[in-house]
Amino acid sequence: MISAAFTGFITGFSLILAIGAQNAFVLRQGLARAHVFWLCLFCAASDALLIAAGVLGFGAMVALFPSLPQIMAYAGAAFLAVYGLQRLIAAWRGDYALQLTGKTKALWPTLATAAAFTWLNPHVYLDTLGLVGAVSTDFHGAALKWAFGSGAVAASFVFFFSLGYGARLLGPVMQSARAWRVLDTGIGLVMWALAIKLIS
């Protein structure tokens, strides 16, 4: 049981560790100290649902709907391109009065953006339904599968809450509009690179 849970934790953590659109968004919100708890909870809970589906054997869904990955890729690429453009425009304008005074968007628009980053990202399905689901087949029996899945879910919660709240350590660096411009420029370029990667 412990070995299965540890394998699940390491598998989940290693897959989520790569810098992606969702992680960049959580990092930005963490730096702004905006709705961090609910955002991290939403991202981790979404991962938990997908991991559970993967472990339960629904990874074959993609095999049943061969066109699904392509549809998700184009939808995700379009969203990333638009969000990346928004961040680059924000960096170009340099108006960060709200961020510097601690004022941010409302909770629901923030969670809606997080939902798009999560559910419109084909790589999320590949990682959770595909890879985590595939590794879980090494463990036989409901107890071992439950332990493996729990470990993978725990990795998501640890990662997102560490990223969201750990971003506050960079707070002193983000006390100027210039620092926010650099951050948004970087995020915008990352979003565009990910969008290109999705459709290439």
Side-chain angles (χ1 to χ4, degrees):
M1 292 279 288
I2 295 177
S3 176
F6 181 74
T7 302
F9 186 90
I10 295 300
T11 300
F13 201 85
S14 62
L15 290 174
I16 202 172
L17 191 59
I19 295 177
Q22 187 186 48
N23 298 351
F25 182 67
V26 173
L27 175 63
R28 190 180 192 282
Q29 292 300 119
L31 287 170
R33 301 188 180 189
H35 315 300
V36 177
F37 174 81
W38 294 110
L39 176 61
C40 293
L41 180 62
F42 176 85
C43 291
S46 295
D47 265 12
L49 289 174
L50 291 166
I51 288 169
V55 172
L56 290 173
F58 289 106
M61 181 177 64
V62 174
L64 296 176
F65 302 98
S67 61
L68 183 61
Q70 187 175 15
I71 294 172
M72 296 300 298
Y74 282 111
F79 175 77
L80 291 175
V82 171
Y83 186 79
L85 180 61
Q86 290 177 342
R87 298 275 52 87
L88 292 173
I89 290 175
W92 178 68
R93 290 178 176 173
D95 183 11
Y96 291 99
L98 292 179
Q99 284 83 353
L100 295 175
T101 56
K103 298 179 181 179
T104 58
K105 290 183 178 180
L107 173 61
W108 290 113
T110 299
L111 292 182
T113 303
F117 278 128
T118 302
W119 298 96
L120 288 179
N121 183 2
H123 292 295
V124 170
Y125 297 94
L126 174 63
D127 289 347
T128 54
L129 293 177
L131 296 178
V132 172
V135 176
S136 72
T137 60
D138 290 339
F139 300 94
H140 304 284
L144 289 179
K145 283 187 177 293
W146 183 88
F148 174 84
S150 297
V153 168
S156 288
F157 275 86
V158 169
F159 176 83
F160 281 116
F161 278 92
S162 297
L163 179 64
Y165 284 101
R168 297 186 178 191
L169 298 176
L170 297 176
V173 181
M174 304 303 294
Q175 296 302 312
S176 68
R178 180 180 180 183
W180 280 98
R181 293 181 80 169
V182 171
L183 176 67
D184 270 347
T185 298
I187 289 177
L189 294 176
V190 168
M191 297 300 163
W192 278 7
L194 291 172
I196 293 172
K197 184 178 179 180
L198 280 180
I199 61 177
S200 61

